[in-house]
Amino acid sequence: MVKAAPLKIGDHVIEPGTRTKLQLSAARLYTDTDMSIPVEVIRAKKEGPTVFISAAIHGDELNGIEIVRRVLDSPSFKLIAGTVIAVPMVNVYGMLMQSRYMPDRRDLNRSFPGSPNGSLTSRLAHMFLSEIVSKCDYGIDLHTGAIHRSNLPQIRANLKDPKTAELAHAFGVPVLLNSDLRDGSLRQAADESGTKILLYEAGEALRFDELSIRAGVKGIFNVLASLGVVSKRRRSLPKIEPLVAYKSSWLRAPESGIVRDRKSLGDYVKRGDVLADVCSPTGTYSEPLLANRSGIIIGKQNIPLVQEGDAMFHIALFDDPKDVVDNMDQLQENLMPDIDPQGMVV
């Protein structure tokens, strides 16, 4: 057995075979309060890959925090090789304020790689990248839709990279979306530092969604097992075979008004289908929103109020979209056998 080398994060040296909780100081606020990030480092004695799991880069995206908590609390979370660095709340301030943004109103996920001499957001981005991400071979970054928007459980990643695509398939959710790198994003900065990363999107901001949480926990264990970090579990349930979408687009409100949805998250729609009606609150008009292509609804706005041009439905294109619907049904059966489709315990 090749023993792992010590790992240094900030002022802390974490030895192989240990489990350590630490706080990484991000900044001091004008209240003379220290803002720090909670980190838990779990190391096997045996050498292996180093993987980070991060959540709440957007402070109002809470599903990921619960996913990390359940992974760390699971009796099955026993490393046989390598290291896992868990960061349940990157944007601590945003989480406390139930806000997507940092105190300076910047989006942390558009501020990488950051700078040690920049704004508060830039400094946090630089610290997280240099102290956590750059020391990892792989990463799983957990997200939800923005406020009043829900996302179908999906992995977004550079699927043109063979190893990243392999891990994306291993995660085990029905939808894989090949996603270009965005300037200033964690994925772009991780890619430039040589860290392969999956972005898990599921659910809505400021809400817990049980299916999304269970799928995230299961997916993380699947990826860690694929990397040899934890033992593989015996499969007793049908395997979810993900399908890849290489294109997706948002459909926008044709008018301002009140929304009456005709379609739901996860539905298969055909070109020309009515997705929703946008109505005048006084009843003077009703404008249908039509699907401009066939595909699966992987994201949608939840609030029934729109301004003209607001993004309403996110549709992904698949070779055989009906298979995605079948896989979503299978995911529900695998992960939620005790809860019926209406959310009632059975």
Side-chain angles (χ1 to χ4, degrees):
M1 179 181 75
V2 179
K3 187 176 179 180
L7 172 68
K8 186 177 182 184
I9 297 177
D11 297 328
H12 307 268
V13 176
I14 303 99
E15 297 289 343
T18 62
R19 184 165 181 164
T20 305
K21 292 182 179 180
L22 55 96
Q23 298 282 333
L24 275 181
S25 180
R28 292 196 73 79
L29 303 178
Y30 48 65
T31 56
D32 199 27
T33 303
D34 186 54
M35 187 172 77
S36 59
I37 300 174
V39 178
E40 187 159 349
V41 184
I42 306 92
R43 307 203 67 200
K45 292 182 179 179
K46 182 181 177 182
E47 189 177 52
T50 299
V51 185
F52 78 84
I53 307 168
S54 61
I57 276 185
H58 295 133
D60 59 354
E61 298 182 2
L62 306 182
N63 271 344
I65 299 173
E66 177 64 6
I67 290 170
V68 175
R69 187 197 68 78
R70 292 191 192 184
V71 169
L72 295 176
D73 194 47
S74 171
S76 302
F77 187 58
K78 297 176 181 177
L79 271 58
I80 58 175
T83 298
V84 171
I85 304 175
V87 189
M89 291 169 283
V90 181
N91 182 357
V92 174
Y93 179 91
M95 187 264 188
L96 289 171
M97 300 302 294
Q98 301 175 22
S99 168
R100 177 183 182 89
Y101 301 105
M102 289 285 290
D104 53 10
R105 297 298 299 166
R106 287 181 169 88
D107 185 335
L108 180 57
N109 206 29
R110 298 293 178 269
S111 301
F112 288 94
S115 166
N117 302 311
S119 67
L120 175 61
T121 303
S122 182
R123 293 176 188 221
L124 176 57
H126 176 267
M127 186 270 287
F128 182 64
L129 184 65
S130 60
E131 292 292 346
I132 303 293
V133 178
S134 65
K135 297 175 182 178
C136 296
D137 305 295
Y138 305 97
I140 304 172
D141 189 30
L142 307 173
H143 287 261
T144 73
I147 193 166
H148 303 312
R149 284 186 186 174
S150 291
N151 283 328
L152 200 70
Q154 59 195 264
I155 287 291
R156 299 180 185 181
N158 175 19
L159 301 179
K160 297 174 184 177
D161 176 74
K163 186 61 179 180
T164 304
E166 176 189 326
L167 296 179
H169 279 82
F171 197 96
V173 290
V175 174
L176 306 182
L177 187 60
N178 186 63
S179 181
D180 293 333
L181 298 174
R182 284 190 174 186
D183 290 344
S185 68
L186 173 61
R187 280 208 306 128
Q188 181 192 51
D191 181 76
E192 291 175 355
S193 72
T195 305
K196 300 183 185 300
I197 186 170
L198 304 180
L199 190 152
Y200 175 61
E201 282 270 7
E204 179 185 3
L206 295 175
R207 300 286 185 274
F208 276 176
D209 178 77
E210 188 61 26
L211 177 63
S212 299
I213 291 168
R214 293 189 188 187
V217 172
K218 178 70 173 175
I220 288 171
F221 273 105
N222 288 343
V223 169
L224 294 179
S226 175
L227 291 170
V229 175
V230 299
S231 299
K232 291 186 177 180
R233 298 175 174 181
R234 293 180 181 177
R235 182 179 293 116
S236 58
L237 298 171
K239 184 180 179 182
I240 302 294
E241 292 293 345
L243 295 174
V244 177
Y246 283 92
K247 288 185 180 179
S248 70
S249 63
W250 279 92
L251 293 182
R252 297 182 177 275
E255 297 281 352
S256 300
I258 309 296
V259 178
R260 293 187 301 155
D261 284 335
R262 300 284 192 93
K263 298 294 183 179
S264 301
L265 199 64
D267 282 354
Y268 166 53
V269 297
K270 296 180 181 178
R271 183 185 178 92
D273 283 354
V274 179
L275 305 183
D277 296 304
V278 180
C279 312
S280 162
T282 59
T284 56
Y285 63 83
S286 177
E287 184 77 20
L289 176 66
L290 304 179
N292 60 359
R293 61 189 68 193
S294 299
I296 298 292
I297 298 173
I298 63 169
K300 70 178 293 291
Q301 176 173 301
N302 296 327
I303 191 169
L305 307 170
V306 292
Q307 300 287 0
E308 183 177 352
D310 283 353
M312 292 180 63
F313 290 88
H314 191 192
I315 298 180
L317 310 182
F318 298 89
D319 291 335
D320 194 346
K322 291 183 179 180
D323 285 348
V324 179
V325 177
D326 292 340
N327 281 349
M328 275 304 301
D329 291 341
Q330 189 62 62
L331 185 72
Q332 177 85 27
E333 291 178 17
N334 287 359
L335 298 178
M336 309 280 278
D338 53 336
I339 299 177
D340 71 14
Q342 282 73 45
M344 302 298 291
V345 177
V346 296

